[in-house]
PDB file of all heavy atoms in Angstrom:
ATOM      1  N   ASN A1540      -0.943  -8.747  10.094  1.00 94.00           N
ATOM      2  CA  ASN A1540      -0.150  -9.169  11.256  1.00 94.00           C
ATOM      3  C   ASN A1540       0.716  -8.022  11.797  1.00 94.00           C
ATOM      4  O   ASN A1540       0.970  -7.972  13.002  1.00 94.00           O
ATOM      5  CB  ASN A1540       0.726 -10.362  10.910  1.00 94.00           C
ATOM      6  CG  ASN A1540      -0.055 -11.642  10.726  1.00 94.00           C
ATOM      7  OD1 ASN A1540      -1.181 -11.758  11.201  1.00 94.00           O
ATOM      8  ND2 ASN A1540       0.506 -12.579  10.000  1.00 94.00           N
ATOM      9  N   ASP A1541       1.157  -7.144  10.914  1.00 91.00           N
ATOM     10  CA  ASP A1541       1.981  -5.999  11.331  1.00 91.00           C
ATOM     11  C   ASP A1541       1.159  -4.771  11.717  1.00 91.00           C
ATOM     12  O   ASP A1541       1.691  -3.702  11.929  1.00 91.00           O
ATOM     13  CB  ASP A1541       2.979  -5.633  10.226  1.00 91.00           C
ATOM     14  CG  ASP A1541       4.073  -6.673  10.046  1.00 91.00           C
ATOM     15  OD1 ASP A1541       4.223  -7.566  10.914  1.00 91.00           O
ATOM     16  OD2 ASP A1541       4.779  -6.607   9.014  1.00 91.00           O
ATOM     17  N   ASP A1542      -0.167  -4.937  11.762  1.00 90.00           N
ATOM     18  CA  ASP A1542      -1.103  -3.890  12.185  1.00 90.00           C
ATOM     19  C   ASP A1542      -1.170  -2.667  11.276  1.00 90.00           C
ATOM     20  O   ASP A1542      -1.476  -1.582  11.723  1.00 90.00           O
ATOM     21  CB  ASP A1542      -0.817  -3.440  13.611  1.00 90.00           C
ATOM     22  CG  ASP A1542      -1.172  -4.494  14.637  1.00 90.00           C
ATOM     23  OD1 ASP A1542      -2.102  -5.274  14.376  1.00 90.00           O
ATOM     24  OD2 ASP A1542      -0.522  -4.539  15.701  1.00 90.00           O
ATOM     25  N   PHE A1543      -0.919  -2.860  10.005  1.00 93.00           N
ATOM     26  CA  PHE A1543      -1.153  -1.778   9.049  1.00 93.00           C
ATOM     27  C   PHE A1543      -2.560  -1.846   8.500  1.00 93.00           C
ATOM     28  O   PHE A1543      -3.138  -0.832   8.140  1.00 93.00           O
ATOM     29  CB  PHE A1543      -0.138  -1.826   7.900  1.00 93.00           C
ATOM     30  CG  PHE A1543       1.224  -1.383   8.299  1.00 93.00           C
ATOM     31  CD1 PHE A1543       2.213  -2.296   8.623  1.00 93.00           C
ATOM     32  CD2 PHE A1543       1.537  -0.035   8.355  1.00 93.00           C
ATOM     33  CE1 PHE A1543       3.471  -1.883   9.012  1.00 93.00           C
ATOM     34  CE2 PHE A1543       2.795   0.392   8.734  1.00 93.00           C
ATOM     35  CZ  PHE A1543       3.767  -0.542   9.061  1.00 93.00           C
ATOM     36  N   LEU A1544      -3.111  -3.054   8.422  1.00 94.00           N
ATOM     37  CA  LEU A1544      -4.483  -3.273   7.980  1.00 94.00           C
ATOM     38  C   LEU A1544      -5.219  -4.071   9.031  1.00 94.00           C
ATOM     39  O   LEU A1544      -4.616  -4.908   9.735  1.00 94.00           O
ATOM     40  CB  LEU A1544      -4.508  -4.084   6.668  1.00 94.00           C
ATOM     41  CG  LEU A1544      -3.973  -3.439   5.403  1.00 94.00           C
ATOM     42  CD1 LEU A1544      -4.034  -4.432   4.255  1.00 94.00           C
ATOM     43  CD2 LEU A1544      -4.744  -2.187   5.048  1.00 94.00           C
ATOM     44  N   LEU A1545      -6.515  -3.821   9.135  1.00 93.00           N
ATOM     45  CA  LEU A1545      -7.401  -4.580  10.019  1.00 93.00           C
ATOM     46  C   LEU A1545      -8.504  -5.172   9.176  1.00 93.00           C
ATOM     47  O   LEU A1545      -8.872  -4.613   8.144  1.00 93.00           O
ATOM     48  CB  LEU A1545      -8.033  -3.631  11.052  1.00 93.00           C
ATOM     49  CG  LEU A1545      -7.111  -2.803  11.918  1.00 93.00           C
ATOM     50  CD1 LEU A1545      -7.943  -1.764  12.683  1.00 93.00           C
ATOM     51  CD2 LEU A1545      -6.366  -3.694  12.876  1.00 93.00           C
ATOM     52  N   HIS A1546      -9.064  -6.290   9.602  1.00 92.00           N
ATOM     53  CA  HIS A1546     -10.275  -6.792   8.964  1.00 92.00           C
ATOM     54  C   HIS A1546     -11.356  -5.750   9.260  1.00 92.00           C
ATOM     55  O   HIS A1546     -11.533  -5.359  10.407  1.00 92.00           O
ATOM     56  CB  HIS A1546     -10.656  -8.161   9.491  1.00 92.00           C
ATOM     57  CG  HIS A1546      -9.680  -9.226   9.101  1.00 92.00           C
ATOM     58  ND1 HIS A1546      -9.663  -9.777   7.834  1.00 92.00           N
ATOM     59  CD2 HIS A1546      -8.660  -9.802   9.766  1.00 92.00           C
ATOM     60  CE1 HIS A1546      -8.700 -10.663   7.763  1.00 92.00           C
ATOM     61  NE2 HIS A1546      -8.061 -10.699   8.929  1.00 92.00           N
ATOM     62  N   ALA A1547     -12.005  -5.288   8.229  1.00 88.00           N
ATOM     63  CA  ALA A1547     -12.982  -4.195   8.396  1.00 88.00           C
ATOM     64  C   ALA A1547     -14.138  -4.643   9.284  1.00 88.00           C
ATOM     65  O   ALA A1547     -14.727  -5.686   9.060  1.00 88.00           O
ATOM     66  CB  ALA A1547     -13.496  -3.744   7.041  1.00 88.00           C
ATOM     67  N   PRO A1548     -14.442  -3.823  10.289  1.00 83.00           N
ATOM     68  CA  PRO A1548     -15.554  -4.155  11.152  1.00 83.00           C
ATOM     69  C   PRO A1548     -16.875  -4.043  10.394  1.00 83.00           C
ATOM     70  O   PRO A1548     -17.031  -3.172   9.538  1.00 83.00           O
ATOM     71  CB  PRO A1548     -15.473  -3.108  12.273  1.00 83.00           C
ATOM     72  CG  PRO A1548     -14.732  -1.970  11.648  1.00 83.00           C
ATOM     73  CD  PRO A1548     -13.810  -2.572  10.631  1.00 83.00           C
ATOM     74  N   GLU A1549     -17.777  -4.923  10.698  1.00 80.00           N
ATOM     75  CA  GLU A1549     -19.122  -4.905  10.115  1.00 80.00           C
ATOM     76  C   GLU A1549     -19.123  -5.060   8.595  1.00 80.00           C
ATOM     77  O   GLU A1549     -20.047  -4.612   7.920  1.00 80.00           O
ATOM     78  CB  GLU A1549     -19.874  -3.632  10.519  1.00 80.00           C
ATOM     79  CG  GLU A1549     -19.976  -3.460  12.027  1.00 80.00           C
ATOM     80  CD  GLU A1549     -20.678  -2.185  12.416  1.00 80.00           C
ATOM     81  OE1 GLU A1549     -21.416  -1.623  11.594  1.00 80.00           O
ATOM     82  OE2 GLU A1549     -20.474  -1.749  13.555  1.00 80.00           O
ATOM     83  N   GLU A1550     -18.088  -5.656   8.063  1.00 76.00           N
ATOM     84  CA  GLU A1550     -18.028  -5.916   6.611  1.00 76.00           C
ATOM     85  C   GLU A1550     -17.804  -7.401   6.376  1.00 76.00           C
ATOM     86  O   GLU A1550     -17.325  -8.109   7.263  1.00 76.00           O
ATOM     87  CB  GLU A1550     -16.890  -5.103   5.955  1.00 76.00           C
ATOM     88  CG  GLU A1550     -17.053  -3.615   6.006  1.00 76.00           C
ATOM     89  CD  GLU A1550     -18.112  -3.084   5.064  1.00 76.00           C
ATOM     90  OE1 GLU A1550     -18.613  -3.836   4.206  1.00 76.00           O
ATOM     91  OE2 GLU A1550     -18.462  -1.908   5.198  1.00 76.00           O
ATOM     92  N   LYS A1551     -18.099  -7.839   5.192  1.00 79.00           N
ATOM     93  CA  LYS A1551     -17.884  -9.216   4.821  1.00 79.00           C
ATOM     94  C   LYS A1551     -16.383  -9.453   4.584  1.00 79.00           C
ATOM     95  O   LYS A1551     -15.600  -8.507   4.577  1.00 79.00           O
ATOM     96  CB  LYS A1551     -18.657  -9.572   3.548  1.00 79.00           C
ATOM     97  CG  LYS A1551     -20.149  -9.460   3.716  1.00 79.00           C
ATOM     98  CD  LYS A1551     -20.828  -9.791   2.419  1.00 79.00           C
ATOM     99  CE  LYS A1551     -22.328  -9.662   2.565  1.00 79.00           C
ATOM    100  NZ  LYS A1551     -23.040  -9.955   1.336  1.00 79.00           N
ATOM    101  N   ALA A1552     -16.023 -10.707   4.365  1.00 86.00           N
ATOM    102  CA  ALA A1552     -14.630 -11.049   4.049  1.00 86.00           C
ATOM    103  C   ALA A1552     -14.197 -10.265   2.806  1.00 86.00           C
ATOM    104  O   ALA A1552     -15.009  -9.961   1.929  1.00 86.00           O
ATOM    105  CB  ALA A1552     -14.500 -12.538   3.809  1.00 86.00           C
ATOM    106  N   GLY A1553     -12.929  -9.949   2.746  1.00 91.00           N
ATOM    107  CA  GLY A1553     -12.399  -9.217   1.605  1.00 91.00           C
ATOM    108  C   GLY A1553     -12.387  -7.723   1.767  1.00 91.00           C
ATOM    109  O   GLY A1553     -12.041  -6.990   0.849  1.00 91.00           O
ATOM    110  N   TYR A1554     -12.766  -7.246   2.935  1.00 95.00           N
ATOM    111  CA  TYR A1554     -12.736  -5.821   3.233  1.00 95.00           C
ATOM    112  C   TYR A1554     -11.727  -5.585   4.346  1.00 95.00           C
ATOM    113  O   TYR A1554     -11.685  -6.301   5.338  1.00 95.00           O
ATOM    114  CB  TYR A1554     -14.100  -5.311   3.697  1.00 95.00           C
ATOM    115  CG  TYR A1554     -15.108  -5.169   2.593  1.00 95.00           C
ATOM    116  CD1 TYR A1554     -15.819  -6.272   2.138  1.00 95.00           C
ATOM    117  CD2 TYR A1554     -15.356  -3.939   2.015  1.00 95.00           C
ATOM    118  CE1 TYR A1554     -16.756  -6.149   1.128  1.00 95.00           C
ATOM    119  CE2 TYR A1554     -16.291  -3.805   1.002  1.00 95.00           C
ATOM    120  CZ  TYR A1554     -16.996  -4.918   0.567  1.00 95.00           C
ATOM    121  OH  TYR A1554     -17.915  -4.789  -0.433  1.00 95.00           O
ATOM    122  N   TYR A1555     -10.922  -4.553   4.149  1.00 95.00           N
ATOM    123  CA  TYR A1555      -9.918  -4.198   5.160  1.00 95.00           C
ATOM    124  C   TYR A1555     -10.018  -2.717   5.465  1.00 95.00           C
ATOM    125  O   TYR A1555     -10.567  -1.942   4.680  1.00 95.00           O
ATOM    126  CB  TYR A1555      -8.514  -4.548   4.651  1.00 95.00           C
ATOM    127  CG  TYR A1555      -8.305  -6.024   4.540  1.00 95.00           C
ATOM    128  CD1 TYR A1555      -8.610  -6.709   3.376  1.00 95.00           C
ATOM    129  CD2 TYR A1555      -7.844  -6.755   5.638  1.00 95.00           C
ATOM    130  CE1 TYR A1555      -8.446  -8.071   3.305  1.00 95.00           C
ATOM    131  CE2 TYR A1555      -7.683  -8.120   5.579  1.00 95.00           C
ATOM    132  CZ  TYR A1555      -7.995  -8.774   4.398  1.00 95.00           C
ATOM    133  OH  TYR A1555      -7.838 -10.142   4.335  1.00 95.00           O
ATOM    134  N   GLN A1556      -9.472  -2.367   6.602  1.00 94.00           N
ATOM    135  CA  GLN A1556      -9.439  -0.957   7.023  1.00 94.00           C
ATOM    136  C   GLN A1556      -8.000  -0.595   7.337  1.00 94.00           C
ATOM    137  O   GLN A1556      -7.291  -1.352   8.016  1.00 94.00           O
ATOM    138  CB  GLN A1556     -10.321  -0.750   8.245  1.00 94.00           C
ATOM    139  CG  GLN A1556     -10.413   0.696   8.663  1.00 94.00           C
ATOM    140  CD  GLN A1556     -11.434   0.892   9.772  1.00 94.00           C
ATOM    141  OE1 GLN A1556     -11.677  -0.009  10.563  1.00 94.00           O
ATOM    142  NE2 GLN A1556     -12.016   2.075   9.813  1.00 94.00           N
ATOM    143  N   LEU A1557      -7.577   0.539   6.821  1.00 93.00           N
ATOM    144  CA  LEU A1557      -6.260   1.052   7.195  1.00 93.00           C
ATOM    145  C   LEU A1557      -6.299   1.364   8.673  1.00 93.00           C
ATOM    146  O   LEU A1557      -7.250   1.988   9.150  1.00 93.00           O
ATOM    147  CB  LEU A1557      -5.910   2.309   6.390  1.00 93.00           C
ATOM    148  CG  LEU A1557      -5.706   2.074   4.898  1.00 93.00           C
ATOM    149  CD1 LEU A1557      -5.722   3.398   4.168  1.00 93.00           C
ATOM    150  CD2 LEU A1557      -4.434   1.335   4.646  1.00 93.00           C
TER     151      LEU A1557
END
Side-chain angles (χ1 to χ4, degrees):
N1540 289 339
D1541 289 347
D1542 289 330
F1543 286 98
L1544 293 177
L1545 304 169
H1546 292 282
E1549 303 178 21
E1550 295 287 350
K1551 296 179 181 179
Y1554 285 82
Y1555 292 90
Q1556 184 173 29
L1557 293 166

